[in-house]
Amino acid sequence: IGVLALQGAFREHRQTLERLGCAVTEVRLPKHLEGLDGLVMPGGESTTMAGVLMIPQGLGALVTMPIAGMLVDKYPVGRIVPVGIALITGGMFAFTQLSADSSYWGFVIPALFVMGLGMGATMMPIMTAALQTLTHKEVARGSTLMNIVNQAAGSIGTAVISVILATNLKAHAESQLAIASNAAPEKYDLLVKAGQAPQDPPGQWFSWAAEAFGATFIVAVALIVVTIISTAGAPLLLSTLAPCWA
């Protein structure tokens, strides 16, 4: 029996088959298929596959970053950044409509690409505008401080969204079993053997899981909308407070 060793928990699949007395071959190249009586394709996403799914986001940023860099020299940052954040909101909003039948090519990849466009149109203007206000001696410290803020904010945001997602998944415990059936099939098989889960998870379980993710993305979209409002109003606020600081 061959086990496709490109994604998922292929090592656990191999160990399980070997315990059952099967001769197992890890399949990485077409020639490895010769002489096999069957092929097991592990489910779930490996770290590599998860990274590949981020490529569209990177390509989107690659398109807009140079354009945003040129526009910074001609237009105020307050006019450019809201456009980028609006693109991020559009891509993020698409994930609020996530369903169990959503496909990579028809749904996930286009949404990630749009988000990437927004990120490229946001990061470059913000970094440029922030560093332009610093003297040559202050640039190094300012750049370090911005990186620290980005890392800290990203960590806090990830933790908050993770807690919200976990809470949403708990509304239907079966949704977590549906996820496990794809992401960790070897552990799900143990639950099946123990009589704690069915062999084939009902489609409703996957729908509940998709709804949990969709509800979580609604919170993320709401946070982005707040950011749009704050960035749009920042120039007016600064112009109002400038006389007071003077």
Side-chain angles (χ1 to χ4, degrees):
I1 300 297
V3 177
L4 187 63
L6 297 178
Q7 69 168 30
F10 63 87
R11 292 186 182 85
E12 288 77 2
H13 280 75
R14 174 172 184 161
Q15 293 170 359
T16 299
L17 290 170
E18 288 176 342
R19 285 197 296 268
L20 295 175
C22 300
V24 182
T25 299
E26 291 187 1
V27 177
R28 291 186 172 87
L29 299 172
K31 63 180 181 181
H32 296 158
L33 295 171
E34 298 178 1
L36 297 180
D37 295 323
L39 178 65
V40 176
M41 300 178 66
E45 303 296 350
S46 65
T47 303
T48 301
M49 292 299 293
V52 169
L53 288 176
M54 292 294 103
I55 292 178
Q57 200 168 13
L59 292 176
L62 186 65
V63 170
T64 53
M65 284 184 72
I67 297 175
M70 292 186 294
L71 292 177
V72 167
D73 297 329
K74 300 179 180 180
Y75 301 99
V77 174
R79 294 182 182 180
I80 302 173
V81 173
V83 175
I85 299 179
L87 288 171
I88 296 176
T89 305
M92 190 74 73
F93 179 78
F95 285 110
T96 65
Q97 309 302 309
L98 193 67
S99 70
D101 300 323
S102 297
S103 66
Y104 284 148
W105 290 103
F107 186 89
V108 176
I109 290 178
L112 289 173
F113 181 75
V114 172
M115 289 177 62
L117 292 174
M119 290 179 178
T122 302
M123 292 185 295
M124 179 62 73
I126 290 177
M127 291 289 292
T128 302
L131 296 179
Q132 281 179 345
T133 62
L134 304 178
T135 63
H136 180 71
K137 294 181 179 180
E138 295 173 333
V139 169
R141 286 180 294 175
S143 179
T144 301
L145 179 59
M146 290 190 64
N147 288 331
I148 292 174
V149 171
N150 286 336
Q151 293 294 331
S155 299
I156 294 172
T158 301
V160 171
I161 295 300
S162 297
V163 170
I164 294 173
L165 175 60
T167 302
N168 290 336
L169 288 173
K170 286 181 179 179
H172 297 284
E174 295 86 352
S175 62
Q176 299 180 57
L177 292 175
I179 295 174
S181 68
N182 276 333
E186 71 289 346
K187 295 181 180 179
Y188 185 81
D189 288 342
L190 295 177
L191 294 176
V192 173
K193 293 177 180 179
Q196 299 178 4
Q199 183 68 41
D200 298 314
Q204 182 61 49
W205 291 11
F206 291 98
S207 296
W208 284 335
E211 290 173 2
F213 278 92
T216 303
F217 278 111
I218 290 177
V219 176
V221 170
L223 292 174
I224 297 175
V225 170
V226 172
T227 304
I228 293 177
I229 296 173
S230 62
T231 54
L236 177 60
L237 178 62
L238 292 175
S239 63
T240 303
L241 295 178
C244 300
W245 294 335

